[in-house]
Amino acid sequence: LSFESMQADRQIVDYLSSYGIRVQTMDNALRAYRSQIAEPEYGAFDFGRCPDLSVALAFTWAAAKVNVRLTGLNTLRDKESDRRRLLEHNISRISSISVDQSNWSVDIGHKNKAFFPPDKLIFQTAGDHRFVMAMSVLAEKSKPVYLNEIESVEKSFPQFVDQFTKLGYSFKRHR
């Protein structure tokens, strides 16, 4: 992804930067750095032009315990899975979430919700590669991350599991 890209996915840089996360390109990759992370009381982001980013950022913000509203999610039902339903199901395991069907928005919050109950959490991917990759951010909070499958990631990033393992994390399959 280039900073000069016209792709909608380029917006990830703006979304992360709004929380004080420094992003730079290195060797044909993006690298995000923790700096002075600004944690506003509440953030709102419209994913109308880049709905696929909503999955990864929803898990990122849930793991970081950020209160946020995601809008523009109306096309998430028309993907490899019903991403809106799957997002709601999986995020509700680790954070509070409310869904507004009338305007296709999701609110993720952390008031009075313990992060990661003590028991093992098994997340569902519905065979959707974006969920396998998005849930990798949860490895910082729960090692390993238990997923019902990881094979779907072969479709878009065949080396993903190897790269993830090199960072010291792991997925466990739970059937």
Side-chain angles (χ1 to χ4, degrees):
L1 180 67
S2 167
F3 278 116
E4 291 79 36
S5 174
M6 296 302 290
Q7 291 181 325
D9 283 352
R10 189 254 176 252
Q11 282 191 270
I12 193 167
V13 174
D14 298 331
Y15 293 148
L16 293 175
S17 296
S18 70
Y19 280 92
I21 298 171
R22 191 168 52 111
V23 180
Q24 66 182 181
T25 55
M26 297 180 70
D27 301 325
N28 201 25
L30 286 179
R31 178 170 260 170
Y33 296 92
R34 289 185 211 177
S35 53
Q36 294 295 332
I37 296 179
E39 294 190 24
E41 185 121 343
Y42 188 81
F45 298 92
D46 182 0
F47 289 94
R49 289 190 50 238
C50 52
D52 290 340
L53 279 180
S54 64
V55 174
L57 289 174
F59 283 98
T60 300
W61 288 322
K65 296 185 176 183
V66 172
N67 297 314
V68 66
R69 170 172 278 193
L70 313 179
T71 61
L73 305 178
N74 54 311
T75 62
L76 288 183
R77 290 191 170 166
D78 305 325
K79 303 293 182 175
E80 288 88 338
S81 66
D82 182 346
R83 288 183 177 160
R84 174 105 182 267
R85 184 197 58 75
L86 199 56
L87 186 68
E88 180 181 354
H89 170 78
N90 285 306
I91 294 288
S92 71
R93 314 275 328 260
I94 58 172
S95 177
S96 59
I97 185 168
S98 64
V99 177
D100 184 341
Q101 301 289 344
S102 65
N103 70 359
W104 297 92
S105 68
V106 170
D107 287 298
I108 299 171
H110 296 279
K111 292 187 167 94
N112 303 319
K113 177 82 175 187
F115 192 84
F116 283 101
D119 59 333
K120 172 174 69 174
L121 290 176
I122 302 160
F123 296 96
Q124 301 298 313
T125 68
D128 192 323
H129 63 120
R130 289 199 182 258
F131 277 84
V132 174
M133 292 185 285
M135 289 187 247
S136 68
V137 301
L138 303 178
E140 277 294 318
K141 303 286 183 181
S142 173
K143 295 178 187 176
V145 175
Y146 290 89
L147 302 177
N148 66 315
E149 66 83 32
I150 61 173
E151 294 77 19
S152 60
V153 80
E154 294 289 322
K155 165 184 179 171
S156 59
F157 189 175
Q159 303 84 15
F160 180 77
V161 174
D162 290 337
Q163 295 294 320
F164 188 64
T165 303
K166 285 180 185 177
L167 294 172
Y169 302 112
S170 65
F171 288 116
K172 296 283 186 190
R173 287 184 193 93
H174 188 277
R175 301 208 184 258

